[in-house]
């Protein structure tokens, strides 16, 4: 079964803690993305990667970091610098030729304790 | 001005009726347009993509694109209760990889 997996489904963060959200895809896609969704709002782009070992900041990168060491994996770290991290985090991937459809994983809901 | 704007909703339609969703965008260089459906608590799933002016039909869904007027719409014919969801309009930014999303329109189909 080809698809995108995200883990965990729910994640709780304590003050001052860094947490890492996992995203894995077996679609052989080159491009991967991280979005944040707040209630009643559209998706906002955090980071994206067009190819292994390269990534670019999106619109709201402050307080987040990513790595892309493998084609299949694009983990997102929410650092303690992100003061309002409570949101629904969505990972997506696409073929990697630009302008094509992005496919989404099931999401991780991050809550602050 | 927001990059992508959708009619605010919520939109309530009776079962069997047509639901009409509208989306306008600001970037004249945009070439790719997408409609996603998102059920409550779930991730978005692709309904339609459209790249050329005119209509594109897929089952009960029809996407309409007018680049000159910078709008894209989605019609849902013979609406079913299972169509109750939030519909997100997404527009590619110029020739690149990034998508801009509207805030979504919530549709409720009442039996």
């Amino acid at each position: 079964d080809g698809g995108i997996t995200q883990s965990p489904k729910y994640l709780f963060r304590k003050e001052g803690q860094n947490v890492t959200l996992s995203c894995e895809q077996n679609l052989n896609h080159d491009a991967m993305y991280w979005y944040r969704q707040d209630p009643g709002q559209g998706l906002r782009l955090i980071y994206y990667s067009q190819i292994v070992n390269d990534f670019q900041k999106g619109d709201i990168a402050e307080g987040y970091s990513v790595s892309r060491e493998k084609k299949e994996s694009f983990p997102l770290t929410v650092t303690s610098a992100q003061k309002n991290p409570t949101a629904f985090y969505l990972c997506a991937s696409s073929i990697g030729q630009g302008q094509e459809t992005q496919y989404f994983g099931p999401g991780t809901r991050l809550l602050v304790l | 001005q927001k990059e992508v704007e959708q009619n605010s909703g919520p939109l309530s339609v009776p079962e069997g009726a047509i639901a009409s969703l509208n989306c306008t965008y600001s970037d004249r260089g945009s070439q790719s347009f997408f409609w996603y459906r998102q059920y409550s608590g779930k991730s978005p799933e692709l309904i339609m993509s459209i790249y050329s002016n005119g209509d594109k039909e897929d089952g009960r869904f029809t996407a309409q694109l007018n680049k000159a007027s910078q709008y894209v719409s989605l019609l849902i014919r013979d609406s079913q209760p299972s169509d109750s969801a939030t519909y997100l309009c997404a527009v590619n930014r110029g020739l690149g990889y990034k998508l801009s999303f509207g805030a979504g329109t919530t549709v409720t189909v009442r039996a």
Side-chain angles (χ1 to χ4, degrees):
Chain A
D1 249 353
I4 304 171
T5 57
Q6 291 186 241
S7 62
K9 187 173 181 180
Y10 295 95
L11 185 57
F12 298 91
R13 195 192 89 163
K14 296 179 181 178
E15 291 288 338
Q17 187 180 39
N18 293 354
V19 293
T20 298
L21 286 62
S22 169
C23 177
E24 305 274 333
Q25 54 96 2
N26 61 4
L27 300 168
N28 200 33
H29 285 171
D30 281 318
M32 297 186 74
Y33 313 79
W34 274 105
Y35 291 91
R36 167 181 174 142
Q37 187 176 32
D38 294 281
Q41 296 191 34
L43 280 64
R44 292 184 289 167
L45 183 65
I46 303 173
Y47 269 97
Y48 66 105
S49 168
Q50 297 171 224
I51 200 166
V52 175
N53 293 321
D54 185 51
F55 50 83
Q56 311 293 329
K57 291 183 179 180
D59 302 313
I60 54 165
E62 186 175 349
Y64 300 96
S65 66
V66 293
S67 62
R68 186 85 187 278
E69 297 176 2
K70 297 188 299 183
K71 186 175 184 177
E72 301 80 16
S73 178
F74 191 39
L76 173 74
T77 297
V78 183
T79 74
S80 57
Q82 174 47 244
K83 297 306 179 187
N84 185 23
T86 297
F88 189 38
Y89 289 86
L90 290 156
C91 177
S93 69
S94 67
I95 293 173
Q97 295 171 359
Q99 301 192 66
E100 72 270 8
T101 302
Q102 294 182 17
Y103 298 93
F104 287 86
T108 292
R109 198 165 297 278
L110 176 60
L111 301 167
V112 177
L113 293 176
Chain B
Q1 182 187 7
K2 292 183 180 178
E3 293 181 35
V4 179
E5 297 204 53
Q6 298 183 237
N7 39 343
S8 56
L11 181 64
S12 179
V13 298
E15 186 173 355
I18 295 175
S20 177
L21 293 79
N22 296 317
C23 173
T24 59
Y25 60 95
S26 61
D27 185 351
R28 283 198 169 272
S30 296
Q31 299 293 324
S32 306
F33 307 86
F34 307 90
W35 284 99
Y36 288 87
R37 177 176 62 198
Q38 186 175 25
Y39 292 115
S40 181
K42 302 296 185 182
S43 63
E45 56 179 327
L46 181 73
I47 297 293
M48 297 277 285
S49 60
I50 186 166
Y51 303 92
S52 303
N53 279 329
D55 295 358
K56 180 181 178 182
E57 188 174 314
D58 184 359
R60 296 184 296 107
F61 298 95
T62 300
Q64 300 172 318
L65 175 61
N66 184 323
K67 291 184 182 178
S69 300
Q70 294 176 246
Y71 86 80
V72 56
S73 63
L74 181 71
L75 298 177
I76 308 173
R77 293 184 304 280
D78 187 24
S79 295
Q80 301 297 308
S82 59
D83 295 327
S84 297
T86 296
Y87 290 80
L88 301 172
C89 173
V91 176
N92 198 264
R93 303 185 206 180
L95 299 176
Y97 286 72
K98 296 188 283 188
L99 292 179
S100 294
F101 284 82
T105 300
T106 298
V107 174
T108 300
V109 180
R110 52 186 195 275

